[in-house]
Amino acid sequence: MSVLAVAKKDFLDVRRAKSVWVVSGLYMLLVAFLFYFGQNGPTDPNVIYQLSTLTTVGTLFVPIVALMMVYLTIAGERESGSIRYLLSLPNTRRDIVIGKYLSRGAVGTGVILVAFGVGAVMTVLWYPSFEATVFGGIAGLTVLLTLAYVSVAIGISAATGARSQAMTGAIGFYFVSNLLMISPNLSIVAALEYVLNGRLGMGISDHLFEFIRMLSPTIAFRKSLPLVVPNDVTVFPANADPSAPSYLTPEVAFTILVAWLVVPIAFGLWRFNRTDLD
């Protein structure tokens, strides 16, 4: 077998996972819901506004979709012992990690593209303008966000040896990188700033703390939005600040988001290679 053979087998396996279909179906229903009721709201429906709402909600929902469909892909097989069967074939551990990433990433990408396809059809039918450039750009960034969390889940799954550990790691990462990062004033970075600046008086720049917050894939995604959204659009959760230092630009945020597609897999593979499966 090879990377592609592992990916093909895993793709067939993931199609039978009910949890994947449930969370994917909920996301598609969410997209349809937002676009349907959006065209019944204002007298002049605006697809940009619906895309903004979808982006805000998606930062909470998309990581769940990605993590749910991936976190057990290797840890589950290690706990059941079926990983030994895969390794008894002419497969390397690298083949398994990358093959499973390709299959789960393809499923996640498919879910996002189908959901945005549903939104695109509804937009053409009910909205006065399609805004194809913005629509396509946001869909592309959402795919990258999905792949970033797929990468994280693969890395966690490869680095852990039990279902409970993989689940704990996935849930913990979701809380730390998402729920505890989205609100600037209520994030764990804000708590760090309070301790270092408020209590210890270290005088660290606010921009540096914002960069630390941007290391989250979710925040990097939001900070990348100005790359695909016109400057005069003010309804999106993140807008480019011309006065911000160079390390807070949308381009840097996009680079961080892309890095999340690679670094977790590399770490997971490194840990997997050092693990004794006997």
Side-chain angles (χ1 to χ4, degrees), residues 92-278:
T92 65
R93 300 191 186 197
R94 174 181 171 274
D95 292 337
I96 293 173
V97 172
I98 296 179
K100 287 180 176 291
Y101 174 72
L102 291 177
S103 64
R104 304 295 168 126
V107 173
T109 298
V111 169
I112 299 302
L113 293 181
V114 170
F116 271 84
V118 171
V121 171
M122 298 175 77
T123 299
V124 171
L125 291 176
W126 294 327
Y127 288 75
S129 63
F130 181 50
E131 304 290 348
T133 301
V134 178
F135 205 106
I138 292 174
L141 284 178
T142 305
V143 167
L144 288 182
L145 178 65
T146 305
L147 293 177
Y149 275 94
V150 168
S151 173
V152 168
I154 288 285
I156 292 173
S157 193
T160 55
R163 292 171 178 263
S164 59
Q165 293 175 350
M167 180 180 294
T168 300
I171 294 174
F173 188 86
Y174 177 77
F175 272 89
V176 171
S177 70
N178 200 297
L179 297 183
L180 298 180
M181 283 290 191
I182 289 180
S183 176
N185 296 325
L186 299 176
S187 68
I188 57 176
V189 175
L192 179 64
E193 183 178 7
Y194 170 76
V195 172
L196 296 181
N197 284 352
R199 305 298 295 179
L200 300 179
M202 297 181 64
I204 300 174
S205 167
D206 291 342
H207 287 143
L208 181 58
F209 286 109
E210 185 61 20
F211 176 77
I212 295 173
R213 199 170 75 94
M214 198 167 71
L215 294 177
S216 156
T218 297
I219 304 305
F221 163 76
R222 296 179 67 171
K223 295 291 187 180
S224 299
L225 288 172
L227 296 174
V228 299
V229 178
N231 292 331
D232 58 346
V233 175
T234 60
V235 297
F236 271 81
N239 296 291
D241 181 3
S243 64
S246 59
Y247 56 82
L248 291 179
T249 61
E251 290 79 7
V252 173
F254 180 80
T255 302
I256 292 172
L257 181 60
V258 172
W260 278 105
L261 274 65
V262 179
V263 175
I265 294 178
F267 172 76
L269 180 58
W270 175 75
R271 288 280 298 172
F272 191 36
N273 281 330
R274 293 169 60 89
T275 301
D276 184 3
L277 301 178
D278 295 330

Side-chain angles (χ1 to χ4, degrees), residues 8-21 104 107:
K8 181 179 179 179
K9 178 185 179 301
D10 189 66
F11 184 79
L12 296 175
D13 291 340
V14 76
R15 290 193 311 174
R16 296 190 289 267
K18 293 181 180 180
S19 60
V20 172
W21 288 106
R104 304 295 168 126
V107 173

Side-chain angles (χ1 to χ4, degrees), residues 15-141:
R15 290 193 311 174
R16 296 190 289 267
K18 293 181 180 180
S19 60
V20 172
W21 288 106
V22 169
V23 294
S24 300
L26 288 175
Y27 181 69
M28 293 178 191
L29 286 175
L30 173 65
V31 173
F33 175 86
L34 291 176
F35 279 87
Y36 176 78
F37 286 98
Q39 55 93 23
N40 290 324
T43 55
D44 184 20
N46 188 341
V47 67
I48 297 291
Y49 183 81
Q50 300 312 314
L51 287 171
S52 171
T53 304
L54 177 60
T55 298
T56 301
V57 177
T59 54
L60 296 173
F61 204 90
V62 168
I64 295 177
V65 174
L67 293 171
M68 280 287 293
M69 71 170 60
V70 179
Y71 77 97
L72 288 181
T73 182
I74 296 176
E77 294 201 34
R78 286 178 60 180
E79 186 173 82
S80 68
S82 60
I83 194 73
R84 295 188 182 91
Y85 167 74
L86 279 177
L87 289 173
S88 68
L89 300 170
N91 293 325
T92 65
R93 300 191 186 197
R94 174 181 171 274
D95 292 337
I96 293 173
V97 172
I98 296 179
K100 287 180 176 291
Y101 174 72
L102 291 177
S103 64
R104 304 295 168 126
V107 173
T109 298
V111 169
I112 299 302
L113 293 181
V114 170
F116 271 84
V118 171
V121 171
M122 298 175 77
T123 299
V124 171
L125 291 176
W126 294 327
Y127 288 75
S129 63
F130 181 50
E131 304 290 348
T133 301
V134 178
F135 205 106
I138 292 174
L141 284 178

